[in-house]
Amino acid sequence: MTAHQTRTIKASEFKAKCLKLMDEVATTGEEIIVTKRGAPIGKFVPLETPQRPPWGKYSSQLKFADDVMSQIDVEWEADTNPDRVLHSC
């Protein structure tokens, strides 16, 4: 979590300004402590949305056995005869 200041407001103020406060929290990331009769009763915080893994929902099941980025020593037919590959459909 980032280092934002925490603001304290009364429950009556929170009730009156709830929609505006939602926008403020979403924009600034500032947490708001709601009090009732001077005692804290709740905390209004921005929702942290989980980041999607770059490989999708099965990313934890993917395993690369070797270097997948370097070139391989196999000559592809498309490299040697591109006309045949492009016109064979």
Side-chain angles (χ1 to χ4, degrees), residues 2 4-5 21-32 46:
T2 58
H4 291 283
Q5 286 188 330
L21 293 170
M22 280 190 220
D23 292 337
E24 287 179 23
V25 167
T27 302
T28 66
E30 178 185 45
E31 297 179 351
I32 298 175

Side-chain angles (χ1 to χ4, degrees), residues 51-71:
Q51 299 293 322
R52 285 190 65 178
W55 298 99
K57 86 179 206 182
Y58 298 108
S59 65
S60 62
Q61 298 173 7
L62 291 175
K63 291 185 175 128
F64 295 110
D66 207 348
D67 180 10
V68 295
M69 297 305 290
S70 63
Q71 295 182 354

Side-chain angles (χ1 to χ4, degrees), residues 7-23:
R7 184 166 77 178
T8 302
I9 64 170
K10 296 177 182 179
S12 58
E13 181 183 355
F14 182 78
K15 180 180 177 184
K17 299 178 180 180
C18 182
L19 296 176
K20 180 183 174 205
L21 293 170
M22 280 190 220
D23 292 337

